[in-house]
Amino acid sequence: MSGDKSFGPSRRAFLTGAGALAAGGAASRAVAGSGPEIAIEPWMQELGVGVDAAPYGLPSRFEADVKRRSVPWLTADPVSSVNFTPLHDLDGIITPNGLCFERHHGGVAQIDPAAYRLMINGRVDRPLVFTMEDLKRFPRENRVYFLECAANSGMEWRGAQLNGCQFTHGMIHNVMYTGIPLKLLLEEAGVIPSGKWLLAEGADAAGMTRSIPMEKALDDCMIAFKMNGEALRPEQGYPVRLVVPGWEGNMWVKWLRRLEVGDQPWHHREETSKYTDLLEDGSARRFTWEMDAKSVITNPSPQAPITHGPGPTVLTGVAWSGRGTIPRVDVTLDGGINWHQARMDGPSMPKSMHRFYYEFDWDGSPLLLQSRAHDSTGYVQPTKDQLRAVRGENSIYHNNGIQTWAVDADGRAENVEIS
Ligand code: MTE
Ligand code: CO
């Protein structure tokens, strides 16, 4: 906590709040003339479980509500569907592995790493096939990146629809990857001068493919096999996925089996009929790879109302940009009449999520909450109206417009749009 003037509640207000809590709390009693007391609870009177109870640890049973969720009407069939990261339950910048949203077009492939092979072919001097053992002999790096599906917030394009940041913004996760710079594998194969594009192909039943320009492949793409220190989860592409920092999630091919080097893009399904932006005049934007700066307030939000009543309140959220870092986020409590600079906290890494906080003294009146991200290129997150003015109303993908939550006097929050 800094001495920053913008930093939240006065000390006195905070102490009053804490005193009120101690007097009213179920497990506490204030006895006249003495200090507060807290109860001796059952868990202090018996031994806990031993070290063998959970060889692979799980969250407390009191956290059972913290989970990925899907939207039934978006889920025609669970093997070609999506679930969402519970952003409102998380803090900091790292998404725990078990809570990373999943998007797959043909279910989760179950791949035995001993049988795993990665092929590089096409316009190369030496077509190669790598085993897991081979891959682990290349120098590796650790980097934190967000992955956002181009369809994140897609249902919100024409107006406020889903009630919760999990659903409006939860097609994103932020993970530390351990992997090999793709450049090293391409050097091993020897890309010939006409090799300008890569086709990345998944080993899942969807056989998903995407074209990636060679400059990006040689810049910062990775072949990842660990996430947050442990093996990739099957849902995230075990044993190997492609990492395409800052670019739309669809390009991050999971269960990666083949990289073909070619002289032009392939124009396959996922880059023509899907993941292109249909504009007002019926034409479509061809490739929209980079994810523009975006932010969302995760608390308070529809799934995380204010429950403590008026007084010191922590507002928090996340922001990210496919082009760099987020040096600044502004927040408003009154639908954009007054903006305040939020406090950024935690590591600030390019193409990674950033965490912001704004502590304020809530007076109990209704609020219109918004956040607005600025990225390191100077780009400022647009309003939804500004986006629609340029892109029309036909789009689904790449909606990075400012989100509004209306908080009522009871602290309940709702997804709304204001103009
Ligand atoms: N890779 C394969 N092989 N198959 C897929 O269905 N889905 C893509 C991409 N890579 C997909 C894939 C899409 S649309 C997204 S948004 C991301 O993976 C989702 O990654 P996640 O499941 O780790 O969240
Ligand atoms: Co996607």
Side-chain angles (χ1 to χ4, degrees), residues 101 103 105 148-151 171 249-250 275:
F101 88 95
R103 170 77 181 106
H105 297 74
E148 185 185 14
C149 180
M171 285 164 83
N250 185 256
Y275 303 102

Side-chain angles (χ1 to χ4, degrees), residues 162-212:
L162 296 169
N163 235 357
C165 65
Q166 176 165 21
F167 307 112
T168 55
H169 289 74
M171 285 164 83
I172 186 165
H173 50 63
N174 199 61
V175 159
M176 183 175 78
Y177 295 96
T178 305
I180 307 158
L182 177 52
K183 183 172 188 275
L184 298 183
L185 298 185
L186 291 172
E187 279 169 5
E188 192 76 7
V191 174
I192 63 174
S194 64
K196 299 289 181 216
W197 287 81
L198 269 188
L199 184 76
E201 181 183 77
D204 52 335
M208 221 203 68
T209 49
R210 276 298 296 252
S211 305
I212 295 164

Side-chain angles (χ1 to χ4, degrees), residues 128-163:
L128 294 171
V129 175
F130 301 94
T131 63
M132 283 307 290
E133 285 285 293
D134 296 334
L135 292 178
K136 289 187 174 167
R137 293 171 65 195
F138 282 85
R140 45 188 111 123
E141 295 184 7
N142 294 291
R143 300 195 231 130
V144 178
Y145 293 122
F146 76 82
L147 177 165
E148 185 185 14
C149 180
N152 200 21
S153 315
M155 286 77 74
E156 305 295 308
W157 193 269
R158 293 185 190 87
Q161 187 151 218
L162 296 169
N163 235 357

Side-chain angles (χ1 to χ4, degrees), residues 68 79-83 85 100-107 109 147-151 170-173 177 200-210 227 233-237 241-242 248-256 270 275:
R68 299 186 281 222
V79 299
S80 178
S81 191
V82 61
N83 59 27
T85 304
C100 288
F101 88 95
E102 300 166 61
R103 170 77 181 106
H104 28 81
H105 297 74
L147 177 165
E148 185 185 14
C149 180
M171 285 164 83
I172 186 165
H173 50 63
Y177 295 96
E201 181 183 77
D204 52 335
M208 221 203 68
T209 49
R210 276 298 296 252
M227 59 193 289
R233 292 289 170 89
E235 303 92 300
Q236 266 68 46
R241 98 175 295 164
L242 186 63
E248 60 183 8
N250 185 256
M251 305 177 87
W252 298 49
V253 174
K254 302 192 275 191
W255 313 292
L256 184 67
E270 305 291 322
Y275 303 102

